[in-house]
Amino acid sequence: MAGMKTASGDYIDSSWELRVFVGEEDPEAESVTLRVTGESHIGGVLLKIVEQINRKQDWSDHAIWWEQKRQWLLQTHWTLDKYGILADARLFFGPQHRPVILRLPNRRALRLRASFSQPLFQAVAAICRLLSIRHPEELSLLRAPEKKEKKKKEKEPEEELYDLSKVVLAGGVAPALFRGMPAHFSDSAQTEACYHMLSRPQPPPDPLLLQRLPRPSSLSDKTQLHSRWLDSSRCLMQQGIKAGDVLWLRFKYYSFFDLDPKTDPVRLTQLYEQARWDLLLEEIDCTEEEMMVFAALQYHINKLSQSGEVGEPAGTDPGLDDLDAALSNLEVKLEGSAPTDVLDSLTTIPELKDYLRIFRPRKLTLKGYRQHWVVFKETTLSYYKSQDEAPGDPIQQLNLKGCEVVPDVNVSGQKFCIKLLVPSPEGMSEIYLRCQDEQQYARWMAGCRLASKGRTMADSSYASEVQAILAFLSLQRTGGGGPGNHPQGPDASAEGLNPYGLVAPRFQRKFKAKQLTPRILEAHQNVAQLSLAEAQLRFIQAWQSLPDFGISYVMVRFKGSRKDEILGIANNRLIRIDLAVGDVVKTWRFSNMRQWNVNWDIRQVAIEFDEHINVAFSCVSASCRIVHEYIGGYIFLSTRERARGEELDEDLFLQLTGGHEAF
Amino acid sequence: MGESSEDIDQMFSTLLGEMDLLTQSLGVDTLPPPDPNPPRAEFNYSVGFKDLNESLNALEDQDLEALMADLVADISEAEQRTIQAQKESSQNQHHSASLQASNVSGAAPLGHGTNVAATGISQYEDDLPPPPADPVLDLPLPPPPPEPLSQEEEEAQAKADKIKLALEKLKEAKVKKLVVKVHMDDNSTKSLMVDERQLARDVLDNLFEKTHCDCNVDWCLYEIYPELQIERFFEDHENVVEVLSDWTRDTENKVLFLQKEEKYAVFKNPQNFYLDNRGKKESKETNEKMNAKNKESLLEESFCGTSIIVPELEGALYLKEDGKKSWKRRYFLLRASGIYYVPKGKTKTSRDLACFIQFENVNIYYGTQHKMKYKAPTDYCFVLKHPQIQKESQYIKYLCCDDARTLNQWVMGIRIAKYGKTLYDNYQRAVAKAGLASRWTNLGTVNAAAPAQPSTGPINGTAQPNGQMPQAAHFVTAVLQEAQTHPETSKNSYVSHLISSQPETQVIIETTGLIFYPVNQPTFMQLRKGKLSRIRSQPSGTTRSQEYPGPAGPQVQPAPPRPVQRSWDTRGSPAMPPKAKGTGSGGFLVLPDDFLPPQPPPPPSPLDDPELPPPPPSRRGRQEASYAPPCQQARGINVHKQQMNKINE
């Protein structure tokens, strides 16, 4: 034992004094002084420290951090000599798990305890387990960007900070479900709210805020984000993160394995949120048409999540629907009436008849709208000069199956037009129907929509379609006043839509709200039947099919080149992109890659592909570690197999992405 | 059963032949669209085909003759009706509709499959006069349907069930059927009965049975519009009747049955579509050489992810301006959401693109001889139009490519964008079908006891509901699913024979199955559809399914011999389970759905070396490190030093 001394008080063994600070890295911290020898085991030292502090407390999470070496002394059976610790070592006895504030993909802040001593890969895995996100290997942490806007500090305290720091997760077992959520969330109302925040999509952001947020204006701006990734093979402590720091949790690798709406509510939602913010902040570009689909999906998702229809509403087979409706109908009839009536009722399909104004654009005619008696039955629209002539031959009859229905509505101008583009063997015929008021418009519009899909007004979705149209019209009345006139207050959030919150700011500049709303509505009719999870999945799929999806940009300088270029890293390939023009110069696929080398001295990455193609570049915007981790990470992700389930080959990951910490 | 069905089938084909003659005598090729104009009625020789199958099951042999009599009656009746219908005017439309309804009501709620042959007479639309009274008089009469229901308080459940049944019958009775004349590649024609629930796949299967062809995946139904000089293949999941009903009455359009290798070209050589580097000849050559495994992983990457990947395609094409004769060159880009072009003076970044067309409401066609017809710059044209448009119109979009390769890329790219994963599912079904056929022929020679020849089997699969396509993860399951969906409705489909009456086949399947589970097989066994198809055809040892571009030879081990290959399975990654679960019907070996590795194993080489990249060098002062994809460590190390020198220079 260290600390043997003679009667006179001199130490006779080779022991020396070791000073250990208690607490997190704080020079003022209290300290204890121990008598140790080089042969003392870390475990023994820990015991002595606890004895000396002499305080009743759970010390199990505490460990010693060696400040100079930036290293945890976690091997309790190692001796001080083995670690090379001498008396001048500055050691801190502190907790391994410390609170951090995570900024989630949905931009909400969450306080939780993260491991400061394990490699980041494991720390992220633990965080994801707590949040119940499967496949943590796809996520990682970023440093929060330096805050420039210190002035706006007043705004931040308003934000709700969710707290999971007190939740402790039993190790090993997968968290059981309790009341529809992982059991550890159901402890208190607070954690329950937290789970809802995690698993339900957030309402659209305030358009004004959206405009203020920084957006990348060029490819080189897009490289900025990627310089902030933390190193997955080192622990948070080693990377200079302190307790209470803000970190971003993001999906880093765009290769989403086995996405399952049933088992992954949180993962799906967070992925959806990341995709949405990517689009809203113009991290990824899309066309106008695509943006409208994204906006419609967001609107739909928001509507569903606010009305609490998280389960599986709608989306049943329309055919069955039909049958069921007819069935109940039939049943009622059967009670009293004769069978012929029954069959009549079965075959009778509700029809619309009314005077509408019709306009048929033709070449060389200047005729305007004319009043006609219009009968809409099944999927066929017929119009007559007047009601009296209705039994005779119509002026024209159009089968709306497969037609295009475009709303042309201006609520404030009391204009309710339906533009129909009806296919026929000769081509498309255009026809405009002008309705008198919202009610009429909604009924006819809903009928046209169903007919274009080959369904009749007997379809069970007719009523809801009418309601949806009316709801949208009322939105236009409130939200469509014009730019800058945004609806405010609780009323607005109930209404659910300000089109500016759903599209990227460049579309806000391009279109007026009242121009956007009908286009979003038009796109919405194609997605209106989706359930929440389906809609989110659809959103993610549409995001994935964008050509620029999943490319992480890094600025590099290729060997032999005199100018900086962009290297795009995707899940299956590397792309060399011209910095100025943005054109793809060359693509290399990982499947042809033989090996890659990193020279940490000169910060160069060299890659060899099949057929002796060699590529070497040095990294400019981010460290070459980040490029290296991206490549290794994607190779790792491609080795995943369903058979292996969720267990991770962490060693393989670290081998493929690590390697530099030795220096 | 087998024999009787054969008889029926023969009789039926004769009948069909007769009907065919009739059609020809009327001088029209195919069936007109269901326009409300009455004269269409002339092609209504629809006989309760599906119902026939059902009744066959129920009737056993006894009433076949009666049935045949009915059928003949139906035909003559149909003749009469055509004549009658031509005289009818549209006035009686309402009348006939209601009459028809009540007429159907008489027979529909019977709940007996036995005498539905009559109700199966499909009314083309409401425009037909009501058919004469129920001709099936010699069959047992149905109990009067609604009475027991309205009589007393029965269980609500039972009532609902009966009503449901009745409604289903009603629906069935309304099934629309067409006789379609299909032009074969040898200029002959065949007439087929197609009911409105049949997909192109089902029709192809019928044709396979009728023609004894090799059933390979290139066979397709092909529609030709002589007037517009455009043509395209039916996608396997398309509803044939729906497509045909868009044709006008006096149409010259034709349906062909022929082989087109373009149909599934992307699945045979995905690299030509996904990795094409235009303008580089050498890369083209290397592309041709791409090995089967890389193709597979490319396909998997493109079609099996959360969302499919549409090939990156962009370039200048000629566009025929609306209603004009001139062609303008524009820069087009293909995206999953549609075709876009770069407006004048803009760049090709996403935000500047203008939408040219989206795919929801259009089909894609090849244009033939448009150089002549429209003065196109080349003959490599494709056309986008709404399926209902049949005549020249400004709504038809004509585009023209510089060469055939570009044309094929665009057409395939657009199909991928439009149909997505369905295309891949179709392909897998087609491969399954082709494989099944080739095995069948083998079995036919080996196992003479096979009761029914597929070629003479009746039209099968008629009851396959729309859209119920087995999402076959692979081959064997696809076949099984197919087989399982059939037995209730068409007992004599030969697929079900494989299951129900041929233990020999099962054994063979099992043994082939066992080949897949050698106990000591390596972890990364590249078990894919290719292998399956290969082994499935093994029993005969003579034919192999030709479609799959996999390497030949029966060996399971895909790894080419390599010097460094050692200790395959030492790393604890879970190998394919050596035990196979026999959960399928009839003791079939069903591979679990998750059996196939969903992600491509690490890049090119099948060599899975357990000692992954070198552990990071721990000595200080060595400032470089080398990494290789997991499977390639051997090569990686060898090159390593050299490489480093190169870099350090």
Side-chain angles (χ1 to χ4, degrees):
Chain A
M1 248 341 249
M4 276 201 288
K5 38 186 167 176
T6 59
S8 63
D10 299 324
Y11 287 96
I12 51 165
D13 57 6
S14 58
S15 68
W16 38 275
E17 288 202 331
L18 179 69
R19 190 163 175 230
V20 178
F21 296 90
V22 179
E24 297 166 17
E25 279 177 304
D26 175 12
E28 313 274 289
E30 71 172 294
S31 68
V32 290
T33 310
L34 319 167
R35 196 106 201 134
V36 293
T37 67
E39 269 85 58
S40 302
H41 291 264
I42 299 292
V45 173
L46 287 174
L47 267 180
K48 272 193 190 172
I49 296 171
V50 173
E51 267 169 33
Q52 287 231 357
I53 298 172
N54 197 15
R55 211 185 301 146
K56 281 258 187 290
Q57 189 186 332
D58 179 12
W59 297 104
S60 60
D61 192 43
H62 279 54
I64 300 173
W65 165 253
W66 185 3
E67 195 188 52
Q68 291 104 325
K69 280 281 169 63
R70 311 200 60 72
Q71 186 185 6
W72 287 93
L73 309 181
L74 293 176
Q75 305 285 347
T76 47
H77 59 282
W78 281 26
T79 61
L80 294 178
D81 278 351
K82 190 161 179 186
Y83 268 119
I85 290 170
L86 301 174
D88 63 346
R90 277 175 66 82
L91 302 179
F92 288 85
F93 180 65
Q96 294 179 53
H97 288 81
R98 300 179 188 186
V100 289
I101 295 176
L102 274 193
R103 179 81 43 188
L104 300 168
N106 64 4
R107 313 275 149 157
R108 290 309 190 94
L110 173 68
R111 183 202 300 277
L112 48 69
R113 303 183 81 83
S115 166
F116 272 59
S117 61
Q118 289 173 311
L120 186 73
F121 185 72
Q122 289 172 16
V124 171
I127 291 172
C128 288
R129 213 158 66 85
L130 183 69
L131 304 183
S132 67
I133 297 177
R134 295 193 308 145
H135 295 291
E137 66 274 15
E138 290 159 4
L139 294 95
S140 191
L141 297 175
L142 301 115
R143 283 171 216 278
E146 304 286 314
K147 283 224 179 70
K148 284 172 276 175
E149 350 81 282
K150 285 251 162 77
K151 324 145 215 171
K152 290 176 196 158
K153 208 148 199 186
E154 316 88 60
K155 217 189 170 263
E156 272 161 37
E158 290 175 21
E159 192 186 33
E160 199 177 348
L161 182 66
Y162 292 88
D163 198 340
L164 279 182
S165 55
K166 295 188 182 61
V167 174
V168 183
L169 202 54
V173 275
L177 280 183
F178 181 69
R179 282 195 289 146
M181 65 186 85
H184 58 276
F185 281 112
S186 55
D187 291 346
S188 67
Q190 211 187 5
T191 51
E192 223 167 273
C194 182
Y195 183 74
H196 286 232
M197 178 274 291
L198 285 166
S199 62
R200 287 191 193 162
Q202 299 293 306
D206 179 7
L208 294 174
L209 176 78
L210 200 58
Q211 272 173 335
R212 268 208 315 273
L213 286 172
R215 297 185 300 274
S217 60
S218 66
L219 264 183
S220 58
D221 285 356
K222 289 184 189 172
T223 64
Q224 295 308 316
L225 175 83
H226 299 290
S227 60
R228 309 204 314 262
W229 289 110
L230 291 172
D231 185 344
S232 59
S233 52
R234 294 191 298 158
C235 66
L236 287 176
M237 198 77 173
Q238 284 169 326
Q239 304 186 54
I241 306 296
K242 296 194 180 56
D245 277 1
V246 178
L247 296 172
W248 286 14
L249 179 71
R250 290 288 184 276
F251 290 88
K252 178 179 185 183
Y253 300 104
Y254 293 89
S255 165
F256 313 118
F257 191 67
D258 186 22
L259 207 52
D260 178 1
K262 286 209 182 64
T263 51
D264 286 332
V266 177
R267 183 169 171 229
L268 193 69
T269 304
Q270 296 303 322
L271 195 53
Y272 157 72
E273 292 281 356
Q274 182 162 338
R276 160 162 88 157
W277 282 98
D278 254 16
L279 286 155
L280 290 183
L281 295 182
E282 300 174 16
E283 288 283 346
I284 184 165
D285 270 344
C286 65
T287 64
E288 217 173 284
E289 287 74 16
E290 287 157 354
M291 194 75 234
M292 295 309 141
V293 175
F294 286 123
L297 282 166
Q298 285 179 67
Y299 167 71
H300 185 65
I301 288 168
N302 183 49
K303 204 174 69 177
L304 289 182
S305 79
Q306 284 196 343
S307 63
E309 290 177 70
V310 186
E312 297 281 322
T316 46
D317 179 34
L320 269 181
D321 245 20
D322 241 357
L323 188 65
D324 283 342
L327 206 96
S328 49
N329 196 350
L330 181 65
E331 197 167 358
V332 172
K333 294 277 177 173
L334 276 176
E335 304 292 346
S337 56
T340 40
D341 285 352
V342 175
L343 282 145
D344 267 356
S345 79
L346 258 185
T347 45
T348 314
I349 279 160
E351 38 177 66
L352 289 173
K353 294 177 190 172
D354 219 334
Y355 275 107
L356 295 183
R357 286 190 291 161
I358 289 185
F359 170 56
R360 306 218 51 190
R362 285 207 185 88
K363 274 177 196 167
L364 307 170
T365 40
L366 293 167
K367 283 184 201 158
Y369 282 95
R370 284 200 170 179
Q371 185 112 318
H372 287 284
W373 175 251
V374 191
V375 176
F376 188 5
K377 195 180 177 192
E378 298 197 32
T379 61
T380 311
L381 194 77
S382 329
Y383 60 91
Y384 307 84
K385 255 191 186 148
S386 69
Q387 191 172 358
D388 307 334
E389 298 188 15
D393 287 338
I395 299 174
Q396 201 188 9
Q397 202 168 39
L398 295 161
N399 188 350
L400 300 191
K401 211 169 166 182
C403 79
E404 256 177 78
V405 186
V406 185
D408 180 11
V409 173
N410 184 342
V411 180
S412 49
Q414 286 295 299
K415 177 188 177 195
F416 302 101
C417 284
I418 305 168
K419 183 183 163 193
L420 298 171
L421 209 55
V422 188
S424 67
E426 288 76 31
M428 308 290 240
S429 38
E430 256 178 282
I431 182 165
Y432 290 75
L433 306 179
R434 186 159 184 163
C435 304
Q436 281 156 2
D437 54 29
E438 290 178 24
Q439 290 295 332
Q440 191 185 41
Y441 168 81
R443 272 180 280 125
W444 285 79
M445 186 67 181
C448 292
R449 289 230 176 103
L450 288 176
S452 77
K453 291 175 203 150
R455 291 190 244 154
T456 67
M457 282 171 277
D459 197 275
S460 59
S461 62
Y462 178 68
S464 63
E465 187 80 45
V466 173
Q467 285 313 310
I469 293 166
L470 284 173
F472 230 93
L473 289 177
S474 67
L475 278 177
Q476 267 199 308
R477 210 179 308 130
T478 50
N485 177 18
H486 303 300
Q488 266 142 24
D491 215 34
S493 69
E495 290 286 352
L497 176 99
N498 174 350
Y500 279 175
L502 304 174
V503 296
R506 69 190 176 91
F507 296 103
Q508 299 184 16
R509 292 191 295 272
K510 201 167 166 186
F511 298 105
K512 289 180 183 160
K514 63 179 176 192
Q515 292 173 302
L516 277 175
T517 311
R519 294 193 62 178
I520 296 174
L521 170 64
E522 195 189 329
H524 181 250
Q525 56 173 296
N526 292 325
V527 298
Q529 302 297 320
L530 299 178
S531 74
L532 181 61
E534 284 167 346
Q536 286 182 318
L537 203 59
R538 179 76 70 86
F539 191 95
I540 293 166
Q541 284 169 345
W543 174 53
Q544 284 180 307
S545 17
L546 294 175
D548 295 336
F549 162 80
I551 305 177
S552 310
Y553 300 97
V554 191
M555 200 184 294
V556 298
R557 169 88 48 102
F558 278 91
K559 205 175 168 188
S561 166
R562 284 166 176 270
K563 55 174 198 238
D564 287 344
E565 279 168 276
I566 300 284
L567 179 74
I569 308 166
N571 67 351
N572 56 1
R573 64 197 193 278
L574 295 172
I575 310 158
R576 183 175 182 170
I577 301 168
D578 188 291
L579 178 56
V581 193
D583 282 350
V584 173
V585 179
K586 182 107 182 76
T587 301
W588 302 279
R589 296 176 54 82
F590 287 146
S591 59
N592 297 327
M593 188 168 70
R594 287 176 173 238
Q595 65 157 352
W596 72 103
N597 299 290
V598 184
N599 187 322
W600 301 103
D601 253 0
I602 57 171
R603 305 177 130 261
Q604 192 178 52
V605 180
I607 307 175
E608 189 197 342
F609 293 95
D610 282 347
E611 292 162 16
H612 308 291
I613 299 165
N614 287 297
V615 181
F617 51 83
S618 55
C619 305
V620 180
S621 70
S623 89
C624 60
R625 170 186 66 76
I626 285 168
V627 174
H628 161 60
E629 258 194 41
Y630 256 121
I631 297 175
Y634 276 129
I635 300 291
F636 171 76
L637 295 190
S638 71
T639 64
R640 291 182 294 182
E641 286 175 60
R642 189 156 286 151
R644 205 179 300 174
E646 281 160 57
E647 124 202 6
L648 281 177
D649 190 346
E650 187 194 335
D651 290 342
L652 176 59
F653 182 83
L654 292 179
Q655 271 169 352
L656 285 168
T657 59
H660 44 285
E661 67 275 15
F663 315 116
Chain B
M1 188 68 219
E3 271 193 21
S4 60
S5 68
E6 225 178 294
D7 282 349
I8 277 272
D9 199 53
Q10 275 167 11
M11 284 192 258
F12 229 92
S13 4
T14 21
L15 274 175
L16 264 182
E18 264 179 56
M19 282 159 40
D20 201 16
L21 280 175
L22 263 168
T23 335
Q24 280 169 356
S25 70
L26 284 167
V28 188
D29 268 359
T30 34
L31 279 165
D35 275 19
N37 311 348
R40 305 297 138 70
E42 53 207 85
F43 303 108
N44 251 325
Y45 314 112
S46 23
V47 187
F49 226 37
K50 164 170 181 299
D51 306 309
L52 180 66
N53 268 339
E54 261 182 28
S55 38
L56 281 180
N57 296 335
L59 280 178
E60 299 295 86
D61 295 332
Q62 51 186 22
D63 283 329
L64 281 181
E65 289 194 8
L67 255 181
M68 285 317 296
D70 291 335
L71 285 173
V72 175
D74 276 353
I75 283 177
S76 50
E77 191 187 295
E79 261 174 309
Q80 284 171 7
R81 244 188 295 148
T82 48
I83 299 158
Q84 203 184 345
Q86 276 162 338
K87 292 173 193 160
E88 302 272 356
S89 77
S90 62
Q91 283 166 350
N92 59 0
Q93 200 167 328
H94 285 286
H95 172 65
S96 68
S98 60
L99 260 182
Q100 182 189 352
S102 58
N103 188 40
V104 169
S105 77
L110 307 181
H112 285 267
T114 46
N115 53 353
V116 264
T119 59
I121 299 168
S122 82
Q123 307 303 311
Y124 205 128
E125 286 284 304
D126 291 345
D127 52 359
L128 268 185
D134 192 345
V136 196
L137 295 173
D138 47 351
L139 288 176
L141 274 171
E147 277 153 74
L149 291 182
S150 50
Q151 266 173 4
E152 294 174 18
E153 310 94 21
E154 279 195 29
E155 280 289 324
Q157 186 57 45
K159 193 194 278 178
D161 282 350
K162 281 198 177 171
I163 299 170
K164 202 156 199 162
L165 192 72
L167 279 165
E168 271 157 22
K169 290 284 171 203
L170 265 181
K171 281 206 160 180
E172 241 166 53
K174 279 189 196 158
V175 169
K176 200 196 284 178
K177 285 161 190 127
L178 293 182
V179 175
V180 179
K181 187 155 120 189
V182 179
H183 297 250
M184 314 309 255
D185 49 356
D186 59 356
N187 289 329
S188 65
T189 60
K190 275 204 189 325
S191 292
L192 280 190
M193 177 81 75
V194 181
D195 97 31
E196 77 178 328
R197 293 164 302 187
Q198 276 183 308
L199 309 181
R201 179 77 253 161
D202 304 321
V203 176
L204 281 180
D205 292 350
N206 280 355
L207 282 163
F208 286 169
E209 283 172 21
K210 281 190 185 268
T211 57
H212 312 265
C213 71
D214 64 354
C215 305
N216 78 49
V217 295
D218 288 339
W219 285 102
C220 54
L221 280 186
Y222 203 71
E223 59 173 329
I224 289 192
Y225 290 62
E227 187 179 342
L228 293 168
Q229 295 186 5
I230 56 173
E231 55 196 52
R232 64 157 204 143
F233 19 74
F234 282 75
E235 302 298 343
D236 286 355
H237 65 277
E238 275 181 296
N239 184 307
V240 176
V241 171
E242 214 163 82
V243 175
L244 295 185
S245 57
D246 286 336
W247 291 7
T248 52
R249 194 190 144 221
D250 50 349
T251 187
E252 295 169 34
N253 298 0
K254 286 181 199 160
V255 177
L256 275 61
F257 176 61
L258 42 65
Q259 297 188 68
K260 280 275 175 190
E261 60 177 11
E262 290 93 341
K263 189 180 181 192
Y264 288 126
V266 69
F267 303 111
K268 294 178 191 165
N269 286 301
Q271 72 281 8
N272 291 344
F273 299 89
Y274 281 96
L275 306 179
D276 187 53
N277 298 319
R278 252 154 294 157
K280 286 193 179 172
K281 277 198 178 145
E282 79 271 52
S283 70
K284 192 177 155 191
E285 271 164 36
T286 56
N287 278 348
E288 312 279 297
K289 276 188 286 181
M290 186 179 213
N291 69 37
K293 203 170 76 59
N294 282 355
K295 283 181 186 176
E296 242 168 65
S297 59
L298 186 60
L299 281 180
E300 213 155 325
E301 184 184 302
S302 310
F303 286 93
C304 301
T306 323
S307 70
I308 59 131
I309 299 173
V310 173
E312 276 177 41
L313 200 51
E314 57 178 72
L317 302 176
Y318 297 96
L319 167 68
K320 184 172 177 293
E321 292 191 79
D322 290 350
K324 291 186 196 161
K325 277 186 181 165
S326 59
W327 293 75
K328 237 186 190 166
R329 203 163 163 86
R330 271 191 186 281
Y331 200 85
F332 287 94
L333 295 96
L334 177 67
R335 296 168 74 101
S337 58
I339 301 180
Y340 292 79
Y341 64 91
V342 181
K344 255 185 202 153
K346 294 284 181 76
T347 63
K348 58 176 192 180
T349 53
S350 303
R351 52 181 66 196
D352 285 341
L353 295 179
C355 186
F356 171 64
I357 201 165
Q358 294 186 300
F359 304 125
E360 275 157 41
N361 289 322
V362 295
N363 277 347
I364 178 149
Y365 302 79
Y366 289 100
T368 50
Q369 305 259 312
H370 282 184
K371 207 170 168 178
M372 288 276 286
K373 189 176 166 85
Y374 298 114
K375 300 204 165 50
T378 73
D379 254 337
Y380 309 107
C381 293
F382 65 92
V383 172
L384 293 157
K385 73 160 186 70
H386 193 288
Q388 274 172 264
I389 300 180
Q390 302 287 318
K391 306 245 162 70
E392 291 268 6
S393 151
Q394 55 166 333
Y395 295 96
I396 303 180
K397 308 284 181 197
Y398 298 89
L399 287 154
C400 179
C401 312
D402 287 330
D403 50 41
R405 187 179 171 81
T406 327
L407 173 68
N408 285 331
Q409 283 176 337
W410 274 97
V411 174
M412 185 55 86
I414 291 166
R415 288 171 63 210
I416 293 170
K418 181 170 164 66
Y419 302 110
K421 177 128 196 315
T422 312
L423 213 55
Y424 193 41
D425 296 337
N426 286 347
Y427 172 68
Q428 285 175 324
R429 266 182 51 115
V431 170
K433 187 74 195 174
L436 195 69
S438 71
R439 192 184 54 181
W440 179 261
T441 33
N442 295 336
L443 285 174
T445 53
V446 171
N447 183 3
Q453 293 297 321
S455 49
T456 55
I459 297 159
N460 76 347
T462 45
Q464 178 115 21
N466 287 351
Q468 194 193 331
M469 295 211 306
Q471 303 270 316
H474 63 78
F475 210 90
V476 169
T477 44
V479 173
L480 275 177
Q481 283 181 18
E482 191 180 57
Q484 283 158 355
T485 56
H486 283 302
E488 315 91 40
T489 45
S490 54
K491 282 242 172 64
N492 32 16
S493 103
Y494 85 96
V495 181
S496 48
H497 267 299
L498 281 182
I499 288 179
S500 55
S501 58
Q502 273 204 297
E504 298 92 337
T505 323
Q506 284 176 26
V507 174
I508 289 164
I509 292 174
E510 256 169 22
T511 36
T512 53
L514 284 175
I515 293 175
F516 289 116
Y517 302 102
V519 181
N520 292 321
Q521 273 309 307
T523 54
F524 270 157
M525 232 171 21
Q526 301 295 306
L527 264 191
R528 295 280 161 78
K529 301 116 219 167
K531 199 111 324 103
L532 277 165
S533 69
R534 201 158 60 238
I535 287 162
R536 291 177 82 260
S537 54
Q538 230 182 352
S540 79
T542 48
T543 41
R544 218 181 285 128
S545 68
Q546 308 269 316
E547 295 69 39
Y548 197 78
Q555 103 245 38
V556 174
Q557 180 56 263
R562 274 178 187 279
V564 235
Q565 184 176 348
R566 49 188 170 155
S567 60
W568 270 74
D569 50 351
T570 47
R571 190 158 44 85
S573 59
M576 303 303 168
K579 48 178 192 315
K581 276 184 262 168
T583 50
S585 64
F588 256 60
L589 185 75
V590 177
L591 304 182
D593 268 340
D594 53 353
F595 173 70
L596 290 169
Q599 287 279 330
S605 145
L607 219 192
D608 178 34
D609 200 302
E611 289 172 40
L612 282 158
S618 52
R619 285 189 351 252
R620 289 178 177 223
R622 245 191 83 194
Q623 296 291 301
E624 65 288 317
S626 171
Y627 306 87
C631 53
Q632 296 193 319
Q633 184 235 357
R635 275 194 287 174
I637 292 179
N638 294 340
V639 202
H640 176 155
K641 274 177 191 155
Q642 247 177 297
Q643 183 69 29
M644 275 0 287
N645 296 342
K646 237 186 262 171
I647 295 172
N648 289 332
E649 272 165 21

